[in-house]
Amino acid sequence: MEKETKCIHAGYTPKNGESRMIPIIQSTTFKYDTSEDMGKLFDLEASGYFYTRLQNPTNDMVAAKITALEGGTAGMLTSSGQAANFFATFNVATAGDHIVSSSSIYGGTFNLFNVTMRKMGIDFTFLSPDSTDDEIRAAFKPNTKAVFGETLANPAMTVFDIERWAKVAHENGVPLIIDNTFATPINCRPIEWGADIVTHSTTKYMDGHDATVGGCIVDGGKFDWMAHADKFPGLCTPDESYHGITYATKFGNGGAFITKCTAQLMRDFGSIQAPMNAYFLNLGLESLAVRMERHCKNGQAVAEFLESHPQVAWVNYPGLKSNKYYALAQKYMPDGTCGVVSFGLKGGRKAAEAFMKKLKVAIIATHVADAHTCILHPANATHRQLSEEELIACGVPSDLIRLSVGIENVNDIIGDLKQALG
């Protein structure tokens, strides 16, 4: 099936007389005929459900749809995109380990890595996404367990060179984890370019309506864990909490990562997505392909308008031919990037604040990537915890305005910007 068809049909095939829509299994527990039947589930000897804190049928159906869209082998939903990125990295790195990450990432993820996970004993080295291969190689240590980046950075809009970073990661025997939230699998499938694990904040374009918070992790199924068994004991040695199961040997490259992530991390942290939220997420997924086409078309038109306006100091949108990432965007996302445009005004921070007060169509909100046109000044909001130096390192100067272009009529969006600019 093509991606537009997968948005509608993947993950769930109703049988004769069954619900056409994915059913909401709003239950914490599941009934079995014998204690032995349930015992097989706890031993990971049989597939099934016993407690929604770990897995739920509704969630798994929706995760299967996203996995199909990304071209992966296994997937799982989480309560948020933050939980997805935490689980994806913590599944391979624990206290005493090290991760190489792009510095141009979402402020919340940067804070998760640079503050919270450091407190857990995991070290991070942050590199510019434009780093040379030699600079990337120099960042690796004997205890490095993964490389992390964002396809399109939020809100810096840098384009991550997936293929090049994947090559260096694999040279060093570690997986590449890519947050594909902004591009979505409609515009980019990182696994096809060498990524091993893909994460999403499904709260954004996948939901598309600012209705539900959620996350997802997809395993590409290509990384050979046992070939690097010394680096990944959690996957390649017996797990005594599950009767000595070795995930990499029992579930293979296609299933080990997600099984461990579910059986260990979801069991212990419980960051499950509610079945009702998964149902709403699926409604958003059904229209994802057509919405992304509109977002990209509107985003391109708005970026071109801003670039030509005399009060605009700079515009950062990979779809513009003047953009430094235009060639990379054409390589990885030839059908369009997303609807998010970053720009700055002549007059800097004060001019940005005055401009935003005059908007009528665009709403000031911390949200991004949904049907409504939203606007935010990250230095005063999502990136407020970062210093000036950290803001610059993340590609988020203090005058940056993040405009998430919605699917309204583009003439209304541009008209609103024009009147606010004066």
Side-chain angles (χ1 to χ4, degrees):
M1 292 187 292
E2 297 296 328
K3 56 190 177 185
E4 296 85 355
T5 309
K6 287 179 181 177
C7 284
I8 305 293
H9 294 286
Y12 171 64
T13 303
K15 296 183 177 64
N16 186 45
E18 289 186 341
S19 167
R20 187 191 70 80
M21 289 298 296
I22 286 177
I24 304 169
I25 310 300
Q26 193 67 39
S27 178
T28 60
T29 49
F30 302 82
K31 179 259 183 186
Y32 287 89
D33 292 335
T34 69
S35 179
E36 288 79 8
D37 289 336
M38 183 168 283
K40 291 177 182 178
L41 298 177
F42 277 88
D43 288 346
L44 301 182
E45 294 293 336
S47 60
Y49 304 91
F50 52 85
Y51 199 51
T52 285
R53 191 181 78 229
L54 280 87
Q55 284 180 288
N56 177 279
T58 305
N59 291 14
D60 282 358
M61 292 172 195
V62 180
K65 176 175 285 190
I66 298 172
T67 301
L69 285 167
E70 284 288 5
T73 56
M76 64 186 290
L77 297 188
T78 61
S79 58
S80 67
Q82 280 287 82
N85 283 334
F86 172 62
F87 278 18
T89 50
F90 196 62
N91 205 36
V92 293
T94 56
D97 290 335
H98 171 255
I99 292 175
V100 174
S101 174
S102 168
S103 61
S104 188
I105 55 177
Y106 168 57
T109 307
F110 185 88
N111 193 62
L112 168 68
F113 291 170
N114 195 46
V115 179
T116 303
M117 291 184 72
R118 281 192 193 278
K119 292 177 181 177
M120 300 170 72
I122 301 173
D123 188 25
F124 286 82
T125 296
F126 295 97
L127 300 176
S128 165
D130 303 329
S131 297
T132 66
D133 289 2
D134 287 341
E135 288 171 335
I136 301 170
R137 291 187 183 102
F140 279 83
K141 302 177 181 181
N143 60 339
T144 301
K145 298 300 175 71
V147 175
F148 182 91
E150 292 181 5
T151 309
L152 287 165
N154 175 14
M157 297 308 294
T158 54
V159 179
F160 194 76
D161 194 343
I162 302 168
E163 188 173 38
R164 187 167 64 85
W165 283 72
K167 181 175 180 292
V168 179
H170 295 158
E171 284 176 2
N172 288 272
V174 303
L176 173 62
I177 303 171
I178 290 291
D179 185 326
N180 197 35
T181 296
F182 270 12
T184 80
I186 301 303
N187 288 338
C188 182
R189 303 217 304 175
I191 293 168
E192 294 178 351
W193 295 101
D196 301 290
I197 308 297
V198 176
T199 64
H200 286 276
S201 170
T202 63
T203 317
K204 311 304 190 298
Y205 285 122
M206 286 188 168
D207 168 72
H209 301 94
D210 201 8
T212 59
V213 175
C216 185
I217 307 171
V218 175
D219 184 2
K222 297 179 181 179
F223 192 84
D224 190 344
W225 302 106
M226 289 304 294
H228 310 283
D230 59 322
K231 284 182 175 290
F232 305 103
L235 285 154
C236 302
T237 59
D239 178 5
E240 297 308 321
S241 69
Y242 274 105
H243 310 289
I245 285 174
T246 301
Y247 297 100
T249 55
K250 185 171 181 63
F251 300 102
N253 294 340
F257 186 89
I258 294 297
T259 302
K260 176 180 179 293
C261 208
T262 301
Q264 282 187 357
L265 304 189
M266 193 61 82
R267 174 196 65 189
D268 294 341
F269 290 99
S271 300
I272 193 72
Q273 187 168 148
M276 181 67 78
N277 283 10
Y279 175 83
F280 286 132
L281 168 58
N282 183 63
L283 293 180
L285 288 169
E286 290 192 344
S287 64
L288 180 62
V290 291
R291 285 188 291 104
M292 288 307 296
E293 183 178 353
R294 180 62 170 262
H295 279 294
C296 292
K297 182 180 178 181
N298 283 1
Q300 183 72 30
V302 167
E304 290 173 1
F305 162 76
L306 289 170
E307 190 175 43
S308 66
H309 199 282
Q311 290 192 35
V312 176
W314 57 270
V315 181
N316 187 6
Y317 186 71
L320 294 173
K321 290 184 179 180
S322 59
N323 189 274
K324 67 179 289 187
Y325 295 104
Y326 179 77
L328 274 181
Q330 290 299 301
K331 173 182 177 178
Y332 293 116
M333 295 160 279
D335 296 328
T337 54
C338 68
V340 181
V341 182
S342 293
F343 66 101
L345 298 180
K346 294 174 182 177
R349 195 165 188 158
K350 288 186 177 180
E353 292 169 353
F355 157 75
M356 290 171 64
K357 289 176 182 177
K358 298 176 185 177
L359 293 167
K360 294 179 172 60
V361 174
I363 60 174
I364 299 174
T366 55
H367 205 241
V368 64
D370 70 42
H372 305 80
T373 294
C374 306
I375 197 163
L376 189 73
H377 185 213
N380 275 338
T382 54
H383 290 62
R384 195 179 184 91
Q385 75 276 16
L386 303 184
S387 67
E388 287 290 330
E389 293 76 17
E390 288 172 333
L391 284 170
I392 293 170
C394 286
V396 187
S398 60
D399 66 336
L400 183 148
I401 300 169
R402 183 185 72 186
L403 178 65
S404 178
V405 182
I407 58 174
E408 302 96 339
N409 186 291
V410 72
N411 294 324
D412 290 330
I413 301 170
I414 292 175
D416 189 36
L417 297 173
K418 189 180 296 184
Q419 65 82 24
L421 287 167

